[in-house]
């Protein structure tokens, strides 16, 4: 079981001050001496204390809310997870609060502190928190946490995801199986895209021409990435993209430049966005069941809310390469 939440009483006792002095040191430090404020603040940081922004306003410890933190809420691959999570929580009488971190670790930490401060009943995060200070504070809290869209051996609490390294290897093996050795990468600069790209290169066994664009990637950045790759490496047989939106841009630019897909250059995306099946040509992609990720995350939280022990805290939902016209040669 995770330890109980650290309270202001705990901080005051550890710092050797009264409750009101501890409150002032953290909320209005100008009303106490600098030495006292520094001591209380240091103790609070060491203990992992996060102020309860709802103190005195609740009759129960349950807020009936769950917070979800996504990199970018408009990214198509995350939408099924958000929708399924919202629906599953609603059935149980819980509301979802959504936060957008924008691939920014400092903003992610600020949002997590805000979520903890408002005493949400649970937190769902797209991605891994690693050993960040925010992750350490979550480990010291009693708030159930589900990290998603990745897999890790040492989660903060619970995980529903898959291996990005395995995705990179699988796509490389798929390309090699097609006989393509002159290949390129069009990727965003976020950590998970880079992880897949590194595994792709390792499986190919050679350096691979790569165009990197700022995350979140888009159709426009996909066009720029494709133009760069085709200009500098005109003999490419196939391009692996880190998102379906990026791949749509690559398809568009290839057609504009007179390249036939897949006859002249094949294109593969990632994410399994709904629109990928309806492009012309239809897009081969790595499909991840985002809706199932949301449903499983909700199930884990409900079990924890009910006081149940979780036998398996890491769930791997896997992935599937869905072959369509953009690579079908």
């Amino acid at each position: 079981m995770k330890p109980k939440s650290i309270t202001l009483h705990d901080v005051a006792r550890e710092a050797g001050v009264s409750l009101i002095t501890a409150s002032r040191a953290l909320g209005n430090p100008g009303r106490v001496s600098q030495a006292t404020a520094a001591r209380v603040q240091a103790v609070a940081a060491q203990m992992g204390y996060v102020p309860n922004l709802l103190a005195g306003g609740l009759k129960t410890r349950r807020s009936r809310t769950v917070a979800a933190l996504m990199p970018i809420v408009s990214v198509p691959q995350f939408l099924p997870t958000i929708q399924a999570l919202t629906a599953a929580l609603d059935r149980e009488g819980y509301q979802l609060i959504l936060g957008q971190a924008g691939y920014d670790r400092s903003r992610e930490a600020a949002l997590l502190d805000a979520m903890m401060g408002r005493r949400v009943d649970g937190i769902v995060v797209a991605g891994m928190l690693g050993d960040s200070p925010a992750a350490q504070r979550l480990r010291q809290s009693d708030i159930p946490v589900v990290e998603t869209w990745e897999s890790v051996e040492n989660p903060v609490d619970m995980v529903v995801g898959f291996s990005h390294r395995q995705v990179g290897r699988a796509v490389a093996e798929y390309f090699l199986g097609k006989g393509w050795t002159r290949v390129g990468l069009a990727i965003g600069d976020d950590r998970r895209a880079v992880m897949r790209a590194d595994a792709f290169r390792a499986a190919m066994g050679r350096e691979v021409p790569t165009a990197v664009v700022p995350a979140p990637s888009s159709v426009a950045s996909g066009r720029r990435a494709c133009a760069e790759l085709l200009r500098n490496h005109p003999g490419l047989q196939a391009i692996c993209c880190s998102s379906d939106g990026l791949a749509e841009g690559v398809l568009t630019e290839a057609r504009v430049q007179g390249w036939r897909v897949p006859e002249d250059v094949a294109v593969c995306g990632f994410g399994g966005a709904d629109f990928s099946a309806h492009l012309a040509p239809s897009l081969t992609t790595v499909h991840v069941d985002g809706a199932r990720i949301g449903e499983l995350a909700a199930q884990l939280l409900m079990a924890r809310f009910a006081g149940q022990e979780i036998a398996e805290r890491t769930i791997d939902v896997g992935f599937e390469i869905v072959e369509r016209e953009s690579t079908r040669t």
Side-chain angles (χ1 to χ4, degrees):
M1 295 293 291
K2 300 182 75 176
K4 69 180 184 67
S5 292
I6 303 300
T7 68
L8 186 59
H9 289 273
D10 299 324
V11 174
R13 182 173 59 252
E14 186 69 19
V17 299
S18 67
L19 183 63
I20 188 64
T21 298
S23 177
R24 288 172 177 170
L26 296 174
N28 192 2
R31 299 187 63 186
V32 300
S33 70
Q34 290 185 355
T36 298
R39 183 169 77 255
V40 173
Q41 290 166 7
V43 168
Q46 182 179 12
M47 297 181 73
Y49 172 71
V50 177
N52 185 348
L53 303 180
L54 300 181
L58 297 175
K59 300 296 184 182
T60 173
R61 296 190 64 186
R62 289 289 185 195
S63 67
R64 309 295 293 184
T65 59
V66 168
L69 184 58
M70 299 286 160
I72 299 291
V73 297
S74 61
V75 172
Q77 70 190 53
F78 296 129
L79 294 179
T81 299
I82 296 171
Q83 292 166 349
L85 181 62
T86 300
L89 293 173
D90 184 67
R91 289 194 297 269
E92 300 294 334
Y94 283 79
Q95 298 298 316
L96 185 70
I97 300 172
L98 197 58
Q100 177 173 279
Y103 298 101
D104 184 330
R105 280 295 193 184
S106 62
R107 175 161 176 75
E108 179 182 78
L111 285 168
L112 286 169
D113 279 349
M115 293 170 180
M116 287 187 281
R118 285 169 174 77
R119 294 304 191 263
V120 295
D121 293 334
I123 295 176
V124 177
V125 182
M128 296 292 103
L129 295 172
D131 293 324
S132 66
Q136 296 304 322
R137 289 193 289 276
L138 279 170
R139 287 188 173 95
Q140 293 172 328
S141 77
D142 62 349
I143 301 175
V145 179
V146 184
E147 295 165 284
T148 65
W149 277 89
E150 254 186 273
S151 185
V152 69
E153 294 182 357
N154 184 34
V156 169
D157 188 3
M158 299 172 285
V159 174
V160 180
F162 58 96
S163 169
H164 287 267
R165 290 188 175 86
Q166 288 182 12
V167 169
R169 287 195 294 269
V171 176
E173 290 167 359
Y174 172 75
F175 276 25
L176 289 171
K178 292 281 190 176
W180 300 327
T181 56
R182 302 189 308 277
V183 301
L185 286 164
I187 66 170
D189 62 1
D190 59 283
R191 183 178 57 84
R192 289 178 288 278
V194 171
M195 191 184 308
R196 294 194 298 274
D198 287 345
F200 180 93
R201 294 188 195 95
M204 292 298 297
R206 62 177 63 87
E207 283 301 313
V208 175
T210 303
V212 181
V213 303
S217 55
S218 64
V219 174
S221 59
R223 291 195 64 176
R224 291 193 297 271
C226 180
E228 175 185 333
L229 287 170
L230 296 183
R231 179 176 63 251
N232 297 330
H233 308 278
L236 289 182
Q237 297 169 292
I239 300 174
C240 172
C241 305
S242 65
S243 74
D244 288 343
L246 197 61
E248 182 180 1
V250 169
L251 284 175
T252 301
E253 185 63 25
R255 289 198 302 268
V256 167
Q257 293 199 24
W259 290 59
R260 299 170 301 166
V261 178
E263 293 85 356
D264 299 325
V265 61
V267 179
C268 178
F270 170 84
D274 289 342
F275 68 77
S276 62
H278 306 288
L279 297 176
S282 56
L283 178 66
T284 293
T285 184
V286 178
H287 175 72
V288 178
D289 194 340
R292 179 155 175 75
I293 289 176
E295 292 165 358
L296 289 171
Q299 290 174 19
L300 288 173
L301 289 177
M302 290 303 121
R304 285 289 300 279
F305 296 163
Q308 300 173 13
E309 287 291 332
I310 307 298
E312 184 56 62
R313 293 187 174 227
T314 299
I315 301 175
D316 191 332
V317 299
F319 58 89
E320 176 189 7
I321 296 177
V322 179
E323 184 180 65
R324 297 196 181 105
E325 295 168 344
S326 68
T327 61
R328 193 173 292 150
T329 57

